[in-house]
């Protein structure tokens, strides 16, 4: 491959951190970002909206009425159900479950085997931007931006700087 070929190549940013993916995507520019990469065993029900640069790993499930922003990572066996939205740079850990009528805002991470229970039609449950849902947590109510939540039911354990950094585990 020549330097010219490399300069025209498109990429998928396969890094777990949404903040890091966002930084790299900004530096590359939109012309360098590839179409979504979808594992052959992932289940895509109907024709949901899946943003460029997204990665859906083995046995991920996306409902027909779900929407995935750009650079979303859905790990092995994770799922997003009806009328739910994963905004840009969201990360779902292995086995994470997003039920119906849920909005996971930009840069949030839902940990391994965590569950986010249904919101209501017209009143979705919201996981705030750059929040972290700990592994195994069960979220039953909305989470503020830049919060770390854990437990069953999930409760806020820490808040990040409202103008800057997210919580650090």
């Amino acid at each position: 491959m020549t330097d010219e070929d490399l300069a025209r190549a498109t990429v998928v940013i396969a890094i777990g951190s949404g903040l890091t993916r966002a930084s790299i995507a900004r530096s590359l520019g939109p012309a360098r970002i590839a179409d979504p990469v979808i594992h052959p065993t992932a289940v895509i029900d109907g024709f949901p909206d899946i943003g460029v640069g997204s990665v859906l790993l083995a046995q991920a499930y996306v409902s027909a009425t779900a929407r995935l922003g750009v650079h979303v990572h859905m790990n092995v066996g994770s799922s997003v159900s009806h009328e739910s939205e994963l905004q840009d740079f969201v990360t779902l850990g292995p086995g994470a479950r997003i039920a119906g009528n849920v909005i996971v805002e930009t840069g949030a991470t839902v940990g391994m085997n965590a569950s986010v229970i249904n919101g209501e039609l017209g009143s979705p449950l919201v996981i705030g931007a750059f929040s972290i849902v700990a592994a195994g947590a069960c979220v039953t109510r909305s989470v503020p931006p830049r919060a770390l939540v854990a437990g069953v039911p999930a409760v806020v354990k820490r808040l990040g700087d409202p103008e800057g950094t997210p919580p650090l585990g």
Side-chain angles (χ1 to χ4, degrees):
M1 186 173 264
T2 68
D3 287 343
E4 189 175 295
D5 291 334
L6 284 174
R8 286 193 310 261
T10 58
V11 298
V12 171
I13 306 166
I15 295 173
S17 164
L19 286 171
T20 302
R21 284 198 308 275
S23 175
I24 293 170
R26 268 192 306 276
S27 69
L28 289 173
R32 297 289 310 273
I33 306 304
D35 289 336
V37 174
I38 301 172
H39 190 276
T41 64
V43 177
I44 310 300
D45 189 10
F47 300 97
D49 185 11
I50 300 174
V52 296
S54 292
V55 177
L56 281 63
L57 296 181
Q59 300 174 342
Y61 171 78
V62 181
S63 171
T65 56
R67 182 189 172 285
L68 277 58
V70 300
H71 300 281
V72 168
H73 281 197
M74 290 184 65
N75 221 306
V76 175
S78 61
S79 66
V80 59
S81 293
H82 61 92
E83 285 80 46
S84 289
E85 176 183 5
L86 305 182
Q87 293 181 352
D88 300 345
F89 305 102
V90 165
T91 302
L92 298 186
R97 302 282 186 242
I98 307 299
N101 296 303
V102 172
I103 297 172
V104 182
E105 292 183 338
T106 299
T109 297
V110 179
M112 182 172 68
N113 291 325
S115 297
V116 180
I117 304 302
N118 283 11
E120 295 178 23
L121 193 57
S123 180
L125 187 149
V126 176
I127 304 297
F130 303 103
S131 289
I132 298 170
V133 176
C138 183
V139 178
T140 59
R141 57 181 54 140
S142 291
V143 172
R146 292 180 163 78
L148 168 63
V149 298
V152 178
V155 295
V156 174
K157 299 293 186 179
R158 185 176 305 157
L159 289 172
D161 174 1
E163 298 302 320
T165 60
L168 300 175

